Amino acid sequence: MPWLALFSLLPLLFWVALALDRSRAWPRELRLPTAGAAGGGTAAGVVAIVPARDEAEVLPVTLPALLSEARRVILVDDGSRDGTAPAARQIAAAADRADRLTVVRAPPPPPGWTGKVHALARGVEAAAGRAGGEPEWLLFVDADVRLRTGAAAALLEVARGGLDGATYDLVSVMARLRARSFWERLLIPAFVFFFQLLYPFRRVRRPESRVVAAAGGLALVRARTLRQAGGLAALKGAVIDDVALARRVAAAGGRVWLGLDAEIESVRPYEGLAAIWRMVARSAYVQLRYRPALLALTLAGLVLLVAAPPFVAAAAAGRLVAGPAAPPALVALVAALAAWALEARALAPAVRHHRAPIAWAATLPFAGILYALMTAHAAWRHHTGRGGAWKGRSYRF
């Protein structure tokens, strides 16, 4: 069956080419420096802004660390219904950090604004409105992200050239997402792997590169550069707000750095498939710029290059068992198994980073099937005008 050999050689060639592309290899060296952890203390000149909508459950875990890292923390209560604002005040008082916390209540976002970007904009306004005017640095932190000791100082060190001699206007870190449940271990390392495949971290920091991205969970931005880039109003409708922010900063002449830190973690659980499905589908078709041609290409790639190898291997093995050893079937079996092994090798660093058992590296083909379904579902909802919802707020893909 020559078609089996064809469908095994295509993914094999893809994964061999990917293994040879060092710019897309796992960026082990792009980690925050640890020097700041030794001394502790707060980062001078940094104002942290936390957009928070119904985050009372995670704040006891994340807010104390942030209050120890930044001298000023502005928490923007974005229409919470679970007591987020009073919970934040109680946590700050219990930690003897009430003087560092300011709680701002954001009105409903105006038409054309996404909720998170509008909340961040209200936080930036509050930061500039205090005595002393505009701060030098703004630290955007998702409410579910728990910082390690010295994280803010380490971000500043990278921004000021302490890591590679280059100064940056936007420094962001992909927080380690939770990977404890079955669905988290199947899909979360693959999510970060695909993001790194799409936006190679090593290319992001190169000033001549056209690849620009950021991780919105933890991002340090120079306030002056943000203002020169048009402020948050320039990305008011962005669903993928972190990448939009990076592109605006780069367009304004700023430099961008994107890295990792295994000790900075998101504590938000994704226990079931539905929770991860909503998270991915929210931005999957946006990433493809709502273009059916890109959708078709993406789905074909996920199915033929990512998902196919174990199924082609099974079909080839069945063919060999059923009859005489046909050379095309033998070639297909060997090529498909080799492609699957290269997939596992590529995913393995992301699995280790998320502290999951290494055996999960072999599950990328099955994660690829689910990511194809999520992307197709997002496109279907967009083209049928159904949109969706995120934290009780309706939006369109």
Side-chain angles (χ1 to χ4, degrees), residues 109-110 112-119 235-239 241 282 393:
W113 285 76
T114 57
K116 179 181 177 180
V117 177
H118 180 252
L235 48 138
K236 62 182 182 181
V239 175
D241 53 271
R282 177 174 179 261
R393 192 175 271 151

Side-chain angles (χ1 to χ4, degrees), residues 1 31 35 51 62 83 92 102 141-142 152 200 204-205 231 259 263 270 346 350 387:
M1 298 179 68
R31 298 179 182 273
T62 61
T102 300
V141 189
D142 282 358
V204 167
R205 65 175 177 157
E263 302 307 316
Y270 294 98

Side-chain angles (χ1 to χ4, degrees), residues 123-137:
V124 172
E125 288 178 0
R130 292 283 296 271
E134 180 182 79
E136 183 182 2
W137 296 96

Side-chain angles (χ1 to χ4, degrees), residues 178-200:
R178 212 185 81 146
R180 299 177 188 172
S181 69
F182 172 86
W183 294 111
E184 287 171 339
R185 288 176 170 177
L186 175 64
L187 295 171
I188 293 300
F191 174 81
V192 177
F193 171 78
F194 286 135
F195 183 88
Q196 210 280 140
L197 196 65
L198 189 61
Y199 301 106

Side-chain angles (χ1 to χ4, degrees), residues 70-260:
R71 287 196 176 95
R72 287 181 58 196
V73 176
I74 298 174
L75 185 139
V76 185
D77 184 6
D78 184 20
S80 299
R81 295 161 293 183
D82 68 344
T84 288
R89 293 188 183 98
Q90 291 170 9
I91 293 165
D96 199 22
R97 297 278 194 266
D99 58 322
R100 296 186 179 182
L101 177 69
T102 300
V103 177
V104 176
R105 186 164 184 83
W113 285 76
T114 57
K116 179 181 177 180
V117 177
H118 180 252
L120 287 172
R122 302 290 74 77
V124 172
E125 288 178 0
R130 292 283 296 271
E134 180 182 79
E136 183 182 2
W137 296 96
L138 297 166
L139 181 63
F140 298 153
V141 189
D142 282 358
D144 62 290
V145 172
R146 178 167 57 189
L147 304 186
R148 65 161 170 85
T149 302
L155 288 164
L156 270 177
E157 184 178 342
V158 174
R160 292 171 173 168
L163 192 63
D164 56 13
T167 58
Y168 297 92
D169 298 89
L170 174 61
V171 176
S172 64
V173 170
M174 176 78 70
R176 179 171 57 83
L177 304 178
R178 212 185 81 146
R180 299 177 188 172
S181 69
F182 172 86
W183 294 111
E184 287 171 339
R185 288 176 170 177
L186 175 64
L187 295 171
I188 293 300
F191 174 81
V192 177
F193 171 78
F194 286 135
F195 183 88
Q196 210 280 140
L197 196 65
L198 189 61
Y199 301 106
F201 289 16
R202 290 189 178 96
R203 294 188 186 181
V204 167
R205 65 175 177 157
R206 298 174 187 169
E208 74 281 2
S209 176
R210 298 179 62 183
V211 178
V212 183
L218 181 63
L220 179 74
V221 60
R222 196 186 305 270
R224 182 182 69 249
T225 305
L226 177 62
R227 176 167 37 81
Q228 293 169 348
L232 290 167
L235 48 138
K236 62 182 182 181
V239 175
I240 311 177
D241 53 271
D242 44 12
V243 175
L245 172 63
R247 287 173 176 165
R248 295 295 303 188
V249 167
R255 290 194 61 176
V256 179
W257 187 93
L258 173 60
L260 299 160

Side-chain angles (χ1 to χ4, degrees), residues 2 9 39 49 82 102 136 279 364:
L9 290 174
I49 299 175
D82 68 344
T102 300
E136 183 182 2
M279 184 263 291
L364 185 57

